[in-house]
Amino acid sequence: MQVHEVNLQGCVIDDPLLGQYQALVRDVVIPYQWAALNDQIPEAEPSHAIDNFRIAAGQKEGTFYGMVFQDSDVAKWLEAVAWSLVQQPDPGLEKTADEVIALIAAAQQADGYLNTWFTVKAPEQRWSNLAECHELYCAGHLIEAGVAWFGATGKRQLLEIVCKLADHIDQMFGPEPDQLQGYPGHPEIELALVRLYEVTQEQRYLQLARFFVEQRGAQPHYYDIESDRRGGSYFWPVHGPAWMIKDKAYSQAHLPLAQQNTATGHAVRFVYLLAGVAHLARLCGDEEKRQTCVRLWQNMVERQLYITGGIGAQSHGESFSTDYDLPNDTAYAESCASVGLMMFARRMIELEGESHYADVMEKALYNTVLGGMALDGKHYFYVNPLEVHPATLASNHIHDHVKPVRQRWFGCACCPPNIARLLTSLGHYIYTRRDDVVLVNLYVGNVTTLGDLRLHLHGNYPQQENIRIVIEAAPDAPRGIALRIPDWCSNATWTVNGDELSGEHIKGYVHLRRVWRAGDEISLHLPMAVRRVYGHPQLRHVAGKVAVQRGPLVYCLEQADNGPALHNLRLPPDSVFGQLAGEGALAGLVLLQAKGLKHARPSHTALYAYDTTPQTTPVSLIFIPWFAWANRGEGEMCVWVREH
Amino acid sequence: MQVHEVNLQGCVIDDPLLGQYQALVRDVVIPYQWAALNDQIPEAEPSHAIDNFRIAAGQKEGTFYGMVFQDSDVAKWLEAVAWSLVQQPDPGLEKTADEVIALIAAAQQADGYLNTWFTVKAPEQRWSNLAECHELYCAGHLIEAGVAWFGATGKRQLLEIVCKLADHIDQMFGPEPDQLQGYPGHPEIELALVRLYEVTQEQRYLQLARFFVEQRGAQPHYYDIESDRRGGSYFWPVHGPAWMIKDKAYSQAHLPLAQQNTATGHAVRFVYLLAGVAHLARLCGDEEKRQTCVRLWQNMVERQLYITGGIGAQSHGESFSTDYDLPNDTAYAESCASVGLMMFARRMIELEGESHYADVMEKALYNTVLGGMALDGKHYFYVNPLEVHPATLASNHIHDHVKPVRQRWFGCACCPPNIARLLTSLGHYIYTRRDDVVLVNLYVGNVTTLGDLRLHLHGNYPQQENIRIVIEAAPDAPRGIALRIPDWCSNATWTVNGDELSGEHIKGYVHLRRVWRAGDEISLHLPMAVRRVYGHPQLRHVAGKVAVQRGPLVYCLEQADNGPALHNLRLPPDSVFGQLAGEGALAGLVLLQAKGLKHARPSHTALYAYDTTPQTTPVSLIFIPWFAWANRGEGEMCVWVREH
């Protein structure tokens, strides 16, 4: 079975919602982030990322500033620029990016090594602390950028830089006695090397990715070996001396992957790692790796996933908690983790051709990923809680990581460029080409060439229920177009040129197979009844509560519409939902309205009262798409509402 | 108005419940803690507290080990021993205590200074870091021990030691240019000095207490002044460099007390401080201080008090959060804080003669304070949550401070001896003598001489509803006996010698005033209907939930009786309560039984399900007194239950 990656050069997004986000990325995010990377935004935390490269290249005096992984912000920005230029050429921007690439080339060492922290601060310590110091992680992001820049522009310079870097890494790491048997504390290079292999067909890159994956968790443990070599020194004392080295589950290195059964540790590391493993499993036909991916995906999705597509229940270590522990108001649910979840999901679709992976991918995209960025493109959430009570955030330190409104930039600015590169490369997620079948995973409006097919997907998803796919070009041979039937839709209908056509139902997709002609039209109707969603009986943080969903969008209550003390609101089981058109910041969105009850004990000064009868006031509840919360100032928000 | 402290030499507790706790303190806790202070308990965290005194006294080689305030554990143990010897003489124990006192004397420096940490580790740094280093706090506990030892045994040695210490402090601190204008980071010495004044009638001690209280929060800030003198060094880097010095609200030193309006910062510090202020307010007739106490008490009790009498909603800084922020499963609610709350409450009763202070005192005693110690006397809770889900404690770090079962000892062992000294000095809390009126605050069985009255209070409170007070001796003049009518009881009745007698209702007490004769008997009936308790509408963590109370006891559900997944249980509004006799570890306690519902969605592997109908199973719910939770192994527990 052959999977062909969608060529983004042949993909134009014209979706009302996501097209607008792409325009935002192009017009606002990329310039804004460029300014941020150059420390030109006075009120934001400094980045220094470009200056770090200048200093490493010897073009500027000074010292490194920022996180040990600061380079990756530049790489992710370049990736976003690459995919954005495909959507809309911009010679000025391309020139800027070329200059950045030249700067990166200048910062690369003669042997191929490339990392500004080590080059500037401690060249003699290269590759001595993989557990903590993110060299391979940064290399991975640079490789992804190189692959993207080549794919978007056809220019080879950055690709050559990263091949030289990958060659250097391939020399340093491997099973031979004169090589290091290590692997990254923060996975990323695995998935990047596999992508580099796909572009270059260089088998060594595939082998190196396998080496990193298969070496993981081997005993004696490499983190300890390198720690001993360093005399026990460590880099991050955040949770005590050497905690990142000791807590091996934090980086999914406590056991070989084949022996791991639960999503654990730092959520971003987990999904980045598994994205690479899933890709490897497919390319190598490796059944053990496939089973590992299926098993760990299952634990994550069936026991540790927020309804919003967020993962990582706690701030400590930005990590998973344990089965069924998903608190709402102390959630971490990092934006980057949901970007990584989409990357993992995409590769699982490629591997398995099953729609439930796309269901989760869609959930993450339309809720946490979109929610991570403000509708102005200039403010971001790093943390995505499902309930916020601003008045107590500053007083109770269990909420220290939670912000009630999006921030302009972060000292650790991983999320904004990650969202940007995801939104500019949506074509990779919309379609999956497996042999001669095109799986339609997401109903984002677009025109895309998929080999010898060209499809134009029309619609205004997920605001509207109808999707049309017009075949603009097709070969004179049968091809499969497979429509994903979303898990939230129980009564989808479709026609081809007006005729009902049942198609073949395979793994959650309706496969329509025929010789297509230009002008053929598939029409898909996905009724978006408002659904009440309930948690698994073990999910104690939502017991007795209901969430509201329409299409893939999870809704929430905000103080802006419903007043304060949201905890006193109830959505009775028999309340019927009406629709409202959003206005102002929420223009273009479908809001929901339902009869609710405000349920409160009579006002009393005593903190506790005996045997009082509650007062119940009828109220009109307004629900808005959760991804759009906190765009109208600071206020309370909650996803889960009491029913009784 | 004259308040006479109850002389514990004339007070014998014969209460079934608390008498048993006193026996436990005598027979188990005091010997156990003595062993702990001497590091003779292999599996417990070491204390080294006695050895610290030996080393400071030059009787042993070695270095200090333990907290900077380790001395206070010895002081609190001595205080518990003192009050315990009053209940039951024990020549062996008294000899041991006399030896400890001799050791303390030996550790005292020629100028009166007494603190083993500084004497052993850094004598030149004495009094240089009041904000962080607890010298005045430890002095306060030693003073309290000296007052107790004198009151219990009539022996003056420890009293003389602490007077010498207080004299030294009085020389060092004060308004004169050659004195230090500082005050303790951790209050305690204020309340201790006032008690020392009461025993010695030495005005200087009262003045010094006032100085410490009135100096608090003055600008320029003393913490900064002394920090500058030290060149900016700091002691506790727990939450970042110098956080304890910078976060002045943490020790209630951000403003002069007269300008403070909310209970804030470290909860134990807050109540210790206010106990001293309330005592001062009464002795000095200081209206501003009285208003400060009333105002801050009100904020604490009306906005920041757990239903269990716990205070301090968060682990960070063991501190208050803000108004109406009382999460159940991340609560801190330190045992010591509730002991301190009783101390503050007792002084407010003495100051104001109002029963609502005693209501809170009773709540703290019968719930958090008793709950802090296991029924075996050997295990303790430092933290007292209202909801525990053991399976997730280890995985989600927001619960790092929570233990699902009581622990044998603590590295910071403030709570066990604090509970012990409270339980042995109950007479101070049961009665308040104001002029010729005896306020009966607590219905603990006892025989006590109160000036020229001797009362014998019979009952088995709070298991049973009837209390008899027999007058065993009385003068030939009218005396008032004032019965507290608890806030949880709406239909109390009482008779004197069988006759109904309305008495005078003053501030929540029924004042019965007459010439009493030996043999007179007051009978009080406090019907203990099971009460449903509801939170204030702003208390979002208990919205839609109910707590169950009988008498002063708050009840809870435990997994031992109700199975796992307590969050799926409901107590419908119309369920009637029956009583059950506790068995095994719960023998002697009244358990409650009610019809409940187990309310869960059908079992499904998906984490979220659409539009499912819940399954409801009738179940029999068993509630046990919350203070007795976790005496039958590890399991889930919750106080607040859904009603609908």
Side-chain angles (χ1 to χ4, degrees):
Chain A
M1 198 269 309
Q2 193 69 32
V3 170
H4 304 274
E5 183 170 277
V6 173
N7 182 348
L8 294 187
Q9 284 186 321
C11 170
V12 175
I13 305 294
D14 59 4
D15 186 75
L17 179 66
L18 285 162
Q20 179 190 329
Y21 269 93
Q22 280 202 342
L24 209 55
V25 169
R26 195 168 56 227
D27 301 338
V28 179
V29 179
I30 287 174
Y32 183 80
Q33 295 188 349
W34 176 245
L37 293 173
N38 286 281
D39 305 315
Q40 291 158 359
I41 298 176
E43 69 271 42
E45 295 194 41
S47 162
H48 208 254
I50 296 293
D51 270 353
N52 290 336
F53 276 99
R54 290 204 183 98
I55 294 162
Q59 298 176 4
K60 188 168 181 174
E61 291 292 304
T63 188
F64 184 97
Y65 174 87
M67 296 284 175
V68 70
F69 49 85
Q70 208 78 347
D71 288 1
S72 62
D73 292 345
V74 177
K76 282 188 279 188
W77 179 82
L78 273 176
E79 194 181 340
V81 170
W83 301 133
S84 183
L85 289 175
V86 170
Q87 294 282 325
Q88 186 172 299
D90 180 337
L93 179 61
E94 185 165 341
K95 181 163 171 287
T96 301
D98 277 329
E99 288 165 6
V100 171
I101 291 166
L103 177 61
I104 293 172
Q108 187 166 35
Q109 305 298 293
D111 59 359
Y113 184 84
L114 184 46
N115 182 294
T116 71
W117 194 92
F118 282 91
T119 298
V120 172
K121 295 191 73 158
E124 73 290 356
Q125 290 173 28
R126 281 186 190 184
W127 309 127
S128 66
N129 189 345
L130 300 181
E132 296 183 295
C133 286
H134 293 69
E135 275 162 301
L136 292 171
Y137 167 84
C138 289
H141 274 301
L142 276 170
I143 291 168
E144 282 205 280
V147 170
W149 191 249
F150 175 68
T153 65
K155 295 185 187 175
R156 302 190 61 90
Q157 195 192 2
L158 188 55
L159 190 66
E160 281 162 12
I161 292 169
V162 301
C163 283
K164 192 174 164 192
L165 171 58
D167 293 341
H168 170 71
I169 294 170
D170 184 46
Q171 271 196 323
M172 296 300 299
F173 291 89
E176 300 305 323
D178 62 342
Q179 291 178 302
L180 298 169
Q181 277 82 58
Y183 46 89
H186 196 317
E188 155 67 26
I189 194 164
E190 300 84 348
L191 74 88
L193 284 169
V194 182
R195 300 205 63 204
L196 188 61
Y197 157 75
E198 287 198 314
V199 170
T200 62
Q201 294 298 311
E202 174 54 72
Q203 282 288 336
R204 283 186 296 113
Y205 301 151
L206 192 68
Q207 289 311 314
L208 183 57
R210 280 184 65 170
F211 173 78
F212 283 141
V213 166
E214 293 173 3
Q215 194 63 17
R216 201 163 196 87
Q219 292 294 345
H221 204 285
Y222 189 78
Y223 295 175
D224 298 326
I225 292 170
E226 62 171 9
S227 170
D228 288 347
R229 284 188 197 137
R230 291 193 312 272
S233 73
Y234 56 87
F235 191 82
W236 294 103
V238 182
H239 301 298
W243 69 277
M244 206 182 269
I245 297 159
K246 291 183 207 154
D247 181 4
K248 296 179 173 69
Y250 168 78
S251 55
Q252 300 85 38
H254 52 309
L255 287 171
L257 273 165
Q259 296 172 33
Q260 294 190 28
N261 295 312
T262 55
T264 193
H266 187 264
V268 174
R269 294 175 197 228
F270 176 81
V271 282
Y272 278 20
L273 174 62
L274 271 291
V277 177
H279 205 160
L280 271 176
R282 178 168 63 78
L283 292 181
C284 305
D286 184 329
E287 175 61 13
E288 184 183 276
K289 287 191 180 54
R290 191 189 72 82
Q291 285 184 17
T292 293
C293 290
V294 170
R295 184 174 70 246
L296 291 173
W297 173 277
Q298 202 169 341
N299 173 266
M300 172 180 67
V301 166
E302 291 182 2
R303 305 199 169 188
Q304 301 200 65
L305 177 70
Y306 283 100
I307 189 176
T308 51
I311 49 173
Q314 63 184 320
S315 168
H316 186 109
E318 308 181 310
S319 62
F320 290 100
S321 171
T322 188
D323 290 356
Y324 303 116
D325 185 47
L326 293 167
N328 295 303
D329 62 348
T330 59
Y332 202 71
E334 183 179 342
S335 304
C336 274
S338 290
V339 169
L341 174 59
M342 288 185 67
M343 291 160 57
F344 181 17
R346 168 194 164 191
R347 285 156 180 87
M348 290 307 289
I349 303 167
E350 292 167 352
L351 179 62
E352 301 283 90
E354 295 180 11
S355 75
H356 64 88
Y357 295 106
D359 288 333
V360 172
M361 188 168 80
E362 180 180 77
K363 188 192 283 268
L365 171 62
Y366 282 103
N367 296 288
T368 299
V369 174
L370 286 194
M373 191 166 92
L375 302 176
D376 67 1
K378 288 186 182 170
H379 297 80
Y380 304 89
F381 276 134
Y382 194 112
V383 165
N384 295 280
L386 284 76
E387 181 178 322
V388 164
H389 190 264
T392 52
L393 288 186
S395 302
N396 194 328
H397 289 269
I398 58 173
H399 302 296
D400 276 353
H401 56 295
V402 176
K403 305 288 183 197
V405 290
R406 291 171 184 80
Q407 308 292 301
R408 285 185 79 80
W409 197 252
F410 302 93
C412 171
C414 51
C415 296
N418 224 352
I419 296 172
R421 72 181 181 131
L422 186 285
L423 290 175
T424 48
S425 62
L426 277 173
H428 287 150
Y429 301 86
I430 297 172
Y431 298 110
T432 303
R433 285 178 62 201
R434 303 176 92 232
D435 293 335
D436 64 354
V437 174
V438 173
L439 303 179
V440 187
N441 303 312
L442 300 174
Y443 295 107
V444 177
N446 71 91
V447 193
T448 301
T449 301
L450 300 144
D452 44 19
L453 271 178
R454 189 165 72 247
L455 306 183
H456 194 165
L457 193 154
H458 302 264
N460 184 12
Y461 188 88
Q463 313 309 321
Q464 292 176 11
E465 302 176 338
N466 290 309
I467 294 124
R468 284 189 310 126
I469 301 174
V470 177
I471 287 76
E472 295 195 340
D476 200 19
R479 290 286 180 271
I481 298 176
L483 308 175
R484 170 179 150 258
I485 306 302
D487 65 336
W488 49 260
C489 188
S490 55
N491 50 352
T493 56
W494 54 91
T495 60
V496 176
N497 298 329
D499 300 326
E500 289 188 15
L501 192 77
S502 66
E504 194 180 359
H505 293 251
I506 305 172
K507 298 179 177 177
Y509 292 86
V510 173
H511 286 245
L512 305 170
R513 183 174 190 80
R514 58 156 66 186
V515 179
W516 299 95
R517 304 288 174 207
D520 280 355
E521 181 173 325
I522 301 168
S523 178
L524 174 64
H525 183 63
L526 297 173
M528 293 185 179
V530 180
R531 307 293 296 266
R532 287 177 182 247
V533 192
Y534 300 94
H536 186 280
Q538 292 293 333
L539 272 186
R540 70 190 182 290
H541 298 98
V542 303
K545 294 184 176 179
V546 61
V548 172
Q549 190 174 336
R550 180 179 175 273
L553 296 180
V554 174
Y555 279 69
C556 68
L557 294 172
E558 270 204 310
Q559 183 175 343
D561 305 300
N562 301 286
L566 297 179
H567 57 273
N568 287 324
L569 298 179
R570 284 174 42 202
L571 174 67
D574 56 357
S575 283
V576 178
F577 292 92
Q579 297 191 9
L580 277 182
E583 292 173 359
L586 307 181
L589 301 180
V590 174
L591 314 192
L592 301 174
Q593 186 166 29
K595 283 186 186 163
L597 292 171
K598 183 143 190 167
H599 190 100
R601 305 281 149 188
S603 192
H604 45 81
T605 54
L607 202 45
Y608 304 101
Y610 297 106
D611 310 323
T612 58
T613 308
Q615 288 174 332
T616 302
T617 319
V619 290
S620 177
L621 302 177
I622 308 279
F623 292 83
I624 71 160
W626 174 77
F627 81 82
W629 79 279
N631 277 293
R632 296 173 295 171
E634 187 174 308
E636 293 180 35
M637 179 277 290
C638 69
V639 166
W640 294 92
V641 189
R642 273 191 294 144
E643 262 194 337
H644 294 278
Chain B
M1 196 267 312
Q2 192 70 31
V3 170
H4 304 274
E5 182 169 278
V6 173
N7 181 348
L8 293 186
Q9 284 186 323
C11 170
V12 175
I13 304 295
D14 59 3
D15 185 75
L17 180 66
L18 285 163
Q20 179 190 328
Y21 268 92
Q22 281 204 338
L24 209 55
V25 169
R26 194 167 56 227
D27 300 339
V28 179
V29 178
I30 287 175
Y32 183 80
Q33 296 188 350
W34 176 243
L37 293 173
N38 287 280
D39 305 315
Q40 290 157 359
I41 300 176
E43 70 271 42
E45 293 195 43
S47 161
H48 208 255
I50 295 293
D51 269 354
N52 290 338
F53 277 98
R54 289 204 185 99
I55 294 162
Q59 297 175 5
K60 189 168 177 170
E61 291 291 305
T63 187
F64 184 97
Y65 174 87
M67 296 285 175
V68 70
F69 48 85
Q70 207 79 348
D71 289 1
S72 62
D73 292 346
V74 177
K76 283 188 277 188
W77 179 81
L78 273 175
E79 192 180 340
V81 170
W83 300 133
S84 183
L85 290 174
V86 169
Q87 293 283 325
Q88 187 173 298
D90 179 336
L93 178 61
E94 187 166 341
K95 182 161 171 290
T96 300
D98 277 330
E99 288 165 5
V100 171
I101 292 166
L103 176 61
I104 292 171
Q108 187 166 36
Q109 305 300 291
D111 60 359
Y113 184 83
L114 184 46
N115 181 293
T116 72
W117 193 92
F118 282 91
T119 298
V120 172
K121 293 191 75 159
E124 75 289 357
Q125 290 174 28
R126 280 185 191 186
W127 309 126
S128 66
N129 189 346
L130 300 181
E132 297 184 295
C133 286
H134 292 71
E135 276 162 300
L136 291 171
Y137 167 83
C138 289
H141 274 302
L142 276 170
I143 292 168
E144 281 206 280
V147 169
W149 191 249
F150 174 69
T153 65
K155 295 185 187 175
R156 303 191 60 91
Q157 195 191 2
L158 188 55
L159 190 65
E160 283 162 11
I161 293 168
V162 300
C163 283
K164 191 172 163 192
L165 171 58
D167 293 342
H168 169 70
I169 294 169
D170 185 46
Q171 272 196 320
M172 296 300 299
F173 292 89
E176 301 303 323
D178 62 341
Q179 290 179 303
L180 298 169
Q181 277 82 57
Y183 47 90
H186 195 316
E188 154 68 24
I189 194 163
E190 301 84 348
L191 75 88
L193 284 169
V194 182
R195 302 205 63 205
L196 188 61
Y197 157 75
E198 287 198 315
V199 170
T200 62
Q201 293 300 311
E202 173 55 71
Q203 284 288 338
R204 283 186 296 114
Y205 301 149
L206 192 67
Q207 289 312 315
L208 184 57
R210 279 185 66 170
F211 174 78
F212 284 140
V213 166
E214 293 173 3
Q215 194 63 17
R216 202 163 197 87
Q219 291 293 345
H221 206 286
Y222 190 77
Y223 296 174
D224 298 326
I225 293 169
E226 62 171 8
S227 171
D228 288 346
R229 284 189 197 137
R230 291 194 311 273
S233 74
Y234 56 88
F235 191 83
W236 294 102
V238 182
H239 301 297
W243 69 277
M244 205 182 269
I245 296 159
K246 291 183 208 155
D247 181 4
K248 296 181 174 68
Y250 169 78
S251 54
Q252 298 86 38
H254 52 310
L255 288 171
L257 273 165
Q259 295 171 34
Q260 294 190 29
N261 295 313
T262 56
T264 192
H266 187 263
V268 173
R269 295 175 197 226
F270 176 82
V271 281
Y272 278 19
L273 174 62
L274 272 292
V277 177
H279 205 160
L280 272 176
R282 178 169 63 77
L283 293 182
C284 306
D286 183 329
E287 175 61 14
E288 183 182 276
K289 287 190 180 56
R290 191 190 72 82
Q291 284 183 17
T292 293
C293 290
V294 169
R295 186 175 68 246
L296 290 173
W297 172 278
Q298 201 169 340
N299 174 266
M300 172 180 68
V301 166
E302 292 182 1
R303 304 199 170 189
Q304 301 200 66
L305 178 70
Y306 282 101
I307 189 176
T308 51
I311 49 174
Q314 64 184 320
S315 168
H316 187 106
E318 308 181 312
S319 62
F320 290 100
S321 172
T322 187
D323 290 357
Y324 303 118
D325 186 46
L326 294 168
N328 295 302
D329 62 348
T330 59
Y332 202 72
E334 184 178 342
S335 304
C336 276
S338 290
V339 169
L341 174 59
M342 289 184 66
M343 291 159 57
F344 182 17
R346 168 193 164 193
R347 285 156 179 85
M348 290 307 289
I349 303 167
E350 292 166 352
L351 180 62
E352 301 282 273
E354 294 179 12
S355 76
H356 64 88
Y357 296 105
D359 289 333
V360 172
M361 188 169 80
E362 180 179 78
K363 188 191 280 269
L365 171 62
Y366 281 103
N367 296 287
T368 298
V369 174
L370 287 193
M373 190 166 93
L375 301 175
D376 68 1
K378 289 185 181 170
H379 296 81
Y380 304 89
F381 276 134
Y382 193 111
V383 165
N384 296 279
L386 284 77
E387 181 177 323
V388 165
H389 190 262
T392 53
L393 288 186
S395 301
N396 194 328
H397 289 269
I398 58 173
H399 303 296
D400 276 353
H401 56 294
V402 176
K403 304 289 182 194
V405 291
R406 291 170 184 80
Q407 309 291 300
R408 286 187 77 81
W409 197 250
F410 302 92
C412 171
C414 50
C415 297
N418 224 351
I419 296 173
R421 72 180 181 133
L422 186 284
L423 290 174
T424 48
S425 61
L426 278 173
H428 286 152
Y429 300 87
I430 298 172
Y431 298 111
T432 303
R433 284 178 62 202
R434 302 176 94 233
D435 292 335
D436 64 353
V437 174
V438 173
L439 303 179
V440 187
N441 305 311
L442 300 174
Y443 294 107
V444 178
N446 71 90
V447 194
T448 301
T449 300
L450 299 145
D452 44 19
L453 273 177
R454 189 165 70 248
L455 305 183
H456 193 164
L457 192 155
H458 303 264
N460 182 14
Y461 188 89
Q463 312 310 318
Q464 292 175 13
E465 302 175 339
N466 290 310
I467 294 125
R468 286 190 307 126
I469 301 174
V470 178
I471 286 76
E472 293 196 341
D476 199 17
R479 290 286 180 270
I481 298 176
L483 308 175
R484 170 179 150 258
I485 306 303
D487 64 337
W488 48 261
C489 188
S490 53
N491 49 353
T493 55
W494 53 91
T495 60
V496 175
N497 298 329
D499 299 328
E500 289 188 19
L501 193 76
S502 67
E504 194 180 359
H505 293 251
I506 306 173
K507 298 179 178 179
Y509 292 87
V510 172
H511 287 244
L512 305 170
R513 185 173 187 83
R514 58 156 69 188
V515 178
W516 299 96
R517 304 287 175 210
D520 280 354
E521 181 172 323
I522 300 167
S523 179
L524 174 64
H525 182 63
L526 297 173
M528 293 186 181
V530 180
R531 307 293 295 266
R532 285 175 184 249
V533 191
Y534 301 94
H536 186 280
Q538 291 294 333
L539 272 186
R540 70 189 182 290
H541 298 98
V542 303
K545 295 184 174 179
V546 60
V548 172
Q549 189 173 336
R550 179 179 174 274
L553 296 180
V554 173
Y555 279 68
C556 69
L557 293 172
E558 269 204 313
Q559 183 175 344
D561 305 300
N562 302 286
L566 296 180
H567 57 273
N568 287 325
L569 297 179
R570 284 175 41 204
L571 174 67
D574 56 356
S575 282
V576 178
F577 291 92
Q579 297 193 7
L580 276 180
E583 293 174 358
L586 307 182
L589 300 181
V590 175
L591 313 192
L592 301 175
Q593 187 167 29
K595 283 187 188 162
L597 291 172
K598 183 145 189 165
H599 191 98
R601 304 283 148 186
S603 193
H604 46 79
T605 54
L607 202 46
Y608 303 100
Y610 297 106
D611 310 323
T612 59
T613 308
Q615 289 173 334
T616 301
T617 319
V619 290
S620 177
L621 302 178
I622 306 279
F623 293 83
I624 71 160
W626 174 77
F627 81 82
W629 80 280
N631 277 294
R632 296 172 297 171
E634 186 174 308
E636 292 179 36
M637 179 278 290
C638 70
V639 167
W640 293 93
V641 189
R642 272 191 294 143
E643 261 193 336
H644 294 278

